[in-house]
Amino acid sequence: MQLFFTDQRKVWKVGQVAGLSQAELSALFARRLVPSGTPILLDEAMRPVEPVSSWFRSLALERKDAKTMRSYAYSVLMLLHFLLARGTDLQSVTETDLREFRLWRQDEAEEVVGDAAWDRDWAAIESLYRYLIRIGVVTRQPWRATPQRDNLASRIRPDLRVRHMELDQYLYLRDVGFGGLAPGAGLDVSFRGWRPHRNRAACELALMTGMRIQEWSTLLLPELGLVDGRRQAFADVELKACAKFGRPRSVYVAPDPMELLDPYLLLERPEIVAKAQRSLRRRHRELFVIQSLEADGTRVRGVLDGRTITRTVKNMKPDLRRLAVLETGDGLDPLALFIGQGGRMLTFSAWDKIRWRAWDRMKAWAGDRHAPAVPRRCWVYHEPSAHLRLATFDLPDARGPERRRGPGAADVHAAGPHDRQSAAGGPAPPWPRTPIDHLPLHPLPEGPDAGGR
């Protein structure tokens, strides 16, 4: 058995398909809608393995996320191989077989998994058997339900891993790790990173809004009112397709993170876009080329795969956002706020490289007298932004050395640049909270960037 994932754009990229004309292929895609990322399981004769492939299609029609479908597909593929090796199948499987599969996954396999990974496997198995019962392949689930438990999930709730972060630690993370400054707020001539203003702006945006990485890293320029070279003082962003579980909510972007975008928007982003024009033009047919912004930037109209379509911005999924470029007449301008080499929206793995590069800088400067204490384990993007959602951001009180807690951006403003105390009760960190006017501009080195682009 071989597992594949559908992608219509790869079909168009290949060109001519044997036995089908271009018109027949377009008609087939129009008649049989299959979302990109839908898994399909094929046997040795390249025929769909049923009923698993039909279950994959049902997941796609339920608008399951492509990452979820991929995870489910690999989990069920492992189960199928496990059952076939024991001479059984999905219809004749017993609870003992499933318990043995759990034992193999967690204790006996070449690479074992923990409770969280097993729970993801079990979610896929439960979903599959609900489908098999619905279409009549099996009459009931093969495991017993008892008053104590109704499935084989671990029932272990993972600990909340959001660590405490002090204000001077966050400033050190933002300005020294991501921004390339020295702990004394001066220019670090040894810094060879790429796009420090972009990275600082992203860090500040994550903190001051509480957005998760999939939310802030996929933001589009119109969502922040950044069109026609203008910048609003603040913005309200309507999240939906990129929010957790696709649940709509509104996010307020305060003036400070908006202001911190200026050095990136004025200095770094235009240079990236100019250098990316050749690459963007070469990929023109693969992109979502937007011809106009409508309804104050809340809708876009453009050409994708040869068709003219209109989409509401908040309903655009990350994969479509990565393809969105605006035809300006002078070139193609990516609609994504944060972009890297080639004008592409940065992926999660690229942001992860940037994070680890920042962590290496922070550890290298950890012995400096201006540097705060850093934890043993690298911070993740979710932790600074989660502080606002979970109200655990500690700030010094202007009335004395005791600490207080509070949710929201108002608490971050409560301590001015002259009344901050370090964790050890020492002098305030030398760098300002939003050092736009005071920030020395780094020379932008050419060449590959080891920390993500």
Side-chain angles (χ1 to χ4, degrees):
M1 292 182 290
Q2 299 184 64
L3 182 62
F4 297 91
F5 299 90
T6 61
D7 189 345
Q8 286 189 24
R9 293 189 184 90
K10 289 186 178 179
V11 177
W12 298 123
K13 189 180 295 186
V14 168
Q16 191 66 31
V17 176
L20 287 175
S21 67
Q22 195 83 357
E24 291 174 328
L25 195 59
S26 298
L28 176 62
F29 284 152
R31 188 172 67 254
R32 303 292 291 179
L33 298 178
V34 180
S36 292
T38 303
I40 181 169
L41 191 62
L42 303 179
D43 61 16
E44 294 78 4
M46 300 301 286
R47 295 172 300 189
V49 175
E50 294 293 358
V52 176
S53 290
S54 293
W55 171 60
F56 289 152
R57 179 167 170 76
S58 75
L59 293 177
L61 295 179
E62 291 169 7
R63 303 185 68 187
K64 285 286 188 184
D65 182 73
K67 292 187 294 184
T68 300
M69 290 193 292
R70 180 178 289 267
S71 173
Y72 279 16
Y74 283 119
S75 295
V76 169
L77 182 62
M78 283 187 289
L79 175 64
L80 288 175
H81 284 303
F82 182 85
L83 295 178
L84 288 174
R86 283 153 179 77
T88 187
D89 55 26
L90 293 173
Q91 292 177 266
S92 55
V93 69
T94 65
E95 181 178 346
T96 300
D97 295 324
L98 295 176
R99 289 185 179 277
E100 288 181 352
F101 178 62
R102 181 179 64 177
L103 179 67
W104 174 76
R105 282 285 281 151
Q106 293 199 282
D107 295 328
E108 304 296 334
E110 181 179 347
E111 185 175 348
V112 297
V113 299
D115 290 323
W118 164 251
D119 286 344
R120 288 193 293 270
D121 290 341
W122 185 252
I125 295 171
E126 278 194 310
S127 175
L128 172 60
Y129 272 97
R130 283 196 298 268
Y131 174 78
L132 296 180
I133 293 172
R134 187 167 72 244
I135 65 174
V137 173
V138 297
T139 57
R140 60 181 181 83
Q141 62 190 27
W143 59 91
R144 296 167 297 167
T146 66
Q148 289 74 30
R149 56 192 302 141
D150 57 359
N151 57 39
L152 302 184
S154 68
R155 292 186 175 273
I156 295 177
R157 298 180 62 88
D159 293 336
L160 189 62
R161 284 191 172 181
V162 177
R163 288 169 294 163
H164 177 89
M165 179 184 286
E166 306 233 354
L167 179 59
D168 53 353
Q169 290 177 318
Y170 166 68
L171 295 174
Y172 182 68
L173 167 72
R174 185 195 69 183
D175 296 336
V176 176
F178 285 91
L181 295 179
L187 178 66
D188 178 10
V189 295
S190 66
F191 178 66
R192 302 297 295 170
W194 208 72
R195 309 309 180 192
H197 298 302
R198 177 197 64 192
N199 301 342
R200 290 178 69 250
C203 195
E204 184 83 346
L205 188 67
L207 169 79
M208 296 295 285
T209 62
M211 285 191 281
R212 297 170 175 86
I213 184 171
Q214 178 168 275
E215 297 164 349
W216 60 257
S217 69
T218 59
L219 281 175
L220 302 182
L221 294 173
E223 292 181 294
L224 296 179
L226 301 171
V227 293
D228 299 328
R230 301 190 306 270
R231 177 181 65 75
Q232 300 176 355
F234 59 89
D236 281 299
V237 180
E238 296 294 330
L239 295 176
K240 189 176 187 298
C242 295
K244 188 174 182 180
F245 302 127
R247 294 172 180 166
R249 77 175 196 275
S250 179
V251 173
Y252 173 69
V253 184
D256 279 346
M258 292 290 290
E259 188 177 344
L260 201 59
L261 287 168
D262 283 348
Y264 164 61
L265 294 174
L266 295 174
L267 299 174
E268 295 180 349
R269 197 177 187 280
E271 183 184 8
I272 299 173
V273 173
K275 290 183 176 180
Q277 287 306 303
R278 180 179 296 180
S279 173
L280 292 173
R281 286 296 181 189
R282 188 170 57 248
R283 300 171 54 229
H284 187 277
R285 294 184 59 184
E286 306 169 25
L287 300 174
F288 178 24
V289 182
I290 295 168
Q291 300 163 335
S292 62
L293 301 174
E294 303 173 351
D296 294 329
T298 60
R299 286 205 310 267
V300 294
R301 182 175 178 81
V303 178
L304 176 67
D305 296 333
R307 298 186 300 126
T308 299
I309 61 174
T310 301
R311 293 290 183 268
T312 303
V313 171
K314 67 180 180 181
N315 292 328
M316 291 172 60
K317 294 185 177 181
D319 289 343
L320 183 57
R321 289 170 177 249
R322 290 191 172 93
L323 300 175
V325 295
L326 181 64
E327 179 62 76
T328 64
D330 297 326
L332 297 175
D333 187 3
L335 214 61
L337 172 61
F338 298 119
I339 56 176
Q341 191 175 33
R344 302 183 183 184
M345 179 187 288
L346 270 70
T347 62
F348 295 166
S349 60
W351 280 114
D352 204 46
K353 291 178 183 178
I354 294 170
R355 176 175 68 94
W356 280 105
R357 189 177 178 87
W359 178 252
D360 291 339
R361 278 187 50 77
M362 293 168 65
K363 297 294 285 185
W365 282 104
D368 189 274
R369 65 187 182 89
H370 294 299
V374 294
R376 289 174 296 179
R377 195 163 46 88
C378 181
W379 279 303
V380 298
Y381 286 114
H382 185 70
E383 289 173 329
S385 63
H387 284 302
L388 294 190
R389 294 197 302 275
L390 301 177
T392 59
F393 201 102
D394 252 21
L395 297 172
D397 193 343
R399 297 169 297 178
E402 64 272 9
R403 301 276 176 178
R404 62 181 177 81
R405 292 187 179 185
D411 289 330
V412 178
H413 288 288
H418 301 296
D419 61 358
R420 297 191 201 105
Q421 298 278 329
S422 69
W431 49 84
R433 198 194 147 278
T434 310
I436 297 174
D437 299 329
H438 311 284
L439 183 67
L441 301 180
H442 282 286
L444 300 177
E446 300 294 334
D449 173 42
R453 307 193 81 168

